[in-house]
Amino acid sequence: MKKAETQHDIMNRLSSPSLKKEDIVPILKMGTREEMNILQSLAMKIKQERVGRIVYFRGLVEFSNLCRKNCFYCGLRKENKGVNRFRLSEEEILHAAAFAHEKRYGSLVLQSGENQSEEHIDFICRVVEQIKSKYDLGITLSCGEQSEDTYRRFFESGAHRYLLRIETSSPELYGKWHPEDGKHRFETRLNCLKSLKKVGFQVGSGSMIGVPYQTYEDIAGDILFLRDMEVDMMGIGPFIEHSGTPFYRSEAYSIPREERLKVTLTMIAVLRILLKDVNIASTTAMQALDKFGREKGLLFGANVIMPNLTPTIRRKDYLLYENKPCLDEDAFLCNNCLEARIASVGETIGYGQWGDPLHFFRRINHSSSPS
Ligand code: SAH
Ligand code: SF4
């Protein structure tokens, strides 16, 4: 990339109808303060114009760590025998929902390991129905791959958003990150995203940054994938090692740990510039790498934060990665600390609003707005 790439140059590159990975890679590799400032102000201009400087809260309830999968990067993988497996009771989840309601968070995210048992699916439907009958909260589920029928049951019970990261848009890389046992198939993941859209969910997806074997070209491919899949919500974040996984101390890095936050911020900015009215989360993994990682994410174009409402005693058992922040903070303290942090970067919290992604309404109306 030329040294003095201007906002105009970046905009021109990203607006090209024939945008290719090679056009995105140099932006992802930008590193000087001047370049980052240019990218940031462009992303913030578009954020202000298209979604406003409002941050929506989704209270995150990590309600079960039981998982049938063995993703090579994740601390909850089935073969990690060091994990105390749990599922919260309905009462515990409802208690977290009551807190979200009281604090006027607007939405909840219920996340778990992947469990396809009938009993677990019934449990989720029951909990969602109960929350919806008591509180005016938007509900997002993030419970992995399920059949289309199951997704429909989730939707009919009242959940209206679903998060399923593709993890990587490269089938080849996907193969290197997962065991070849028939349970971890790129095609299945892709079909799940299609089913979720078909059922009517607002769909979130995304990828990790800095997983072994991944290159800048792969990340550029993820950006194009999210654009082409017409995803409404983005959740991207740095990969962080967990000692109970095969990817702990891997030698196969091309994006070192100290680069991962910067590349995540750059990717958030590119997604905001390119996709404009999507919701983008500033993820907890960013905060694990930098105390102010999530605030930085907001300043590069993100507009959603997921405060953790998992009961404090269970948080240490839900470690997708190590060094997860706020393990001992209770939700009340986290809430106070977050408010101050968000105000300090000049953003407003969208209290009491669901904060649905505007992109979704545009997508279902089939009206492609210009620009
Ligand atoms: N089981 C569900 C939801 C829980 S995992 C699913 O897999 O979709 C949620 C996300 O955590 C995953 O999509 C993955 O992108 C992220 N994750 C897993 N291990 C991680 C790690 N070591 N570092 C950073 N993110 C990780
Ligand atoms: Fe299970 Fe999700 Fe972790 Fe994979 S990423 S092991 S599916 S919890």
Side-chain angles (χ1 to χ4, degrees):
M1 170 159 292
K2 294 177 285 165
K3 185 148 188 285
E5 187 109 1
T6 61
Q7 280 197 12
H8 186 71
D9 297 331
I10 294 175
M11 204 60 211
N12 272 351
R13 266 169 189 265
L14 293 178
S15 333
S16 157
S18 55
L19 181 67
K20 293 188 204 53
K21 287 192 210 175
E22 304 86 271
D23 305 316
I24 300 175
V25 169
I27 302 179
L28 293 173
K29 287 186 173 167
M30 289 192 336
T32 69
R33 189 174 285 268
E34 189 195 348
E35 287 171 329
M36 291 299 275
N37 284 344
I38 291 171
L39 189 66
Q40 182 179 6
S41 42
L42 194 52
M44 286 308 275
K45 184 166 167 274
I46 292 172
K47 176 177 167 182
Q48 170 98 54
E49 282 168 12
R50 300 297 292 262
V51 294
R53 290 198 59 182
I54 304 174
V55 183
Y56 298 107
F57 278 0
R58 280 85 171 89
L60 173 65
V61 187
E62 299 153 327
F63 70 94
S64 169
N65 62 6
L66 282 137
C67 189
R68 64 191 278 269
K69 291 271 191 74
N70 268 307
C71 307
F72 290 150
Y73 41 81
C74 177
L76 298 191
R77 63 199 308 273
K78 191 173 181 187
E79 276 174 25
N80 184 8
K81 301 293 181 218
V83 180
N84 237 329
R85 303 285 166 174
F86 73 92
R87 187 173 75 191
L88 296 183
S89 66
E90 294 181 32
E91 292 68 36
E92 285 171 307
I93 303 175
L94 282 162
H95 185 73
F99 180 89
H101 167 75
E102 196 183 303
K103 295 288 168 196
R104 304 186 60 236
Y105 277 8
S107 293
L108 268 191
V109 177
L110 304 182
Q111 190 181 75
S112 70
E114 191 170 294
N115 180 347
Q116 301 178 331
S117 76
E118 268 310 303
E119 192 274 327
H120 188 68
I121 291 159
D122 289 346
F123 175 85
I124 295 172
C125 293
R126 214 164 46 239
V127 168
V128 171
E129 275 163 19
Q130 288 198 46
I131 297 172
K132 293 301 282 188
S133 70
K134 284 185 174 333
Y135 308 113
D136 180 27
L137 289 166
I139 298 192
T140 310
L141 292 179
S142 173
C143 307
E145 294 167 20
Q146 304 287 348
S147 69
E148 193 166 306
D149 280 349
T150 299
Y151 286 145
R152 191 162 292 110
R153 284 189 60 199
F154 288 161
F155 191 73
E156 284 165 1
S157 57
H160 78 298
R161 305 187 192 113
Y162 204 100
L163 304 177
L164 186 77
R165 289 184 176 177
I166 191 71
E167 315 296 2
T168 170
S169 58
S170 154
E172 193 197 334
L173 198 55
Y174 196 92
K176 290 186 178 160
W177 292 1
H178 300 95
E180 260 184 81
D181 58 359
K183 270 201 226 166
H184 301 73
R185 293 184 59 244
F186 179 81
E187 273 293 304
T188 311
R189 200 115 185 131
L190 192 61
N191 286 336
C192 281
L193 283 174
K194 291 180 185 163
S195 298
L196 287 164
K197 281 173 81 175
K198 200 162 135 200
V199 166
F201 277 103
Q202 296 175 9
V203 177
S205 194
S207 55
M208 280 179 288
I209 314 282
V211 188
Y213 310 103
Q214 186 186 38
T215 64
Y216 284 92
E217 284 70 21
D218 292 320
I219 298 170
D222 296 342
I223 293 174
L224 295 177
F225 172 88
L226 294 169
R227 179 196 64 180
D228 296 342
M229 275 301 286
E230 294 195 277
V231 166
D232 308 303
M233 306 164 315
M234 316 281 145
I236 58 166
F239 162 67
I240 303 170
E241 293 79 353
H242 189 298
S243 53
T245 69
F247 277 179
Y248 188 56
R249 298 210 171 118
S250 165
E251 297 290 314
Y253 291 123
S254 47
I255 304 171
R257 192 177 168 109
E258 55 282 8
E259 286 287 301
R260 291 180 209 155
L261 181 66
K262 198 216 77 188
V263 181
T264 306
L265 293 171
T266 318
M267 180 165 172
I268 288 177
V270 171
L271 288 170
R272 175 61 67 206
I273 297 167
L274 200 59
L275 306 178
K276 299 184 174 38
D277 55 1
V278 291
N279 277 355
I280 306 179
S282 206
T283 52
T284 313
M286 295 166 69
Q287 192 189 355
L289 289 189
D290 176 331
K291 233 167 87 183
F292 297 105
R294 285 194 303 186
E295 289 76 2
K296 288 182 183 169
L298 297 176
L299 294 175
F300 275 79
N303 66 333
V304 166
I305 281 197
M306 294 156 61
N308 198 332
L309 301 187
T310 309
T312 317
I313 49 156
R314 287 300 185 188
R315 291 193 195 179
K316 60 177 185 338
D317 299 324
Y318 198 92
L319 298 183
L320 304 161
Y321 49 85
E322 280 161 342
N323 296 325
K324 217 173 152 197
C326 300
L327 284 185
D328 320 316
E329 304 273 320
D330 73 17
F332 182 74
L333 289 175
C334 275
N335 184 67
N336 292 347
C337 152
L338 249 183
E339 275 186 2
R341 282 165 160 236
I342 288 170
S344 77
V345 294
E347 304 266 316
T348 309
I349 300 168
Y351 279 122
Q353 299 173 51
W354 284 13
D356 285 328
L358 301 177
H359 182 273
F360 171 76
F361 301 106
R362 195 159 56 82
R363 168 162 75 77
I364 57 168
N365 288 332
H366 295 288
S367 63
S368 52
S369 79
S371 82

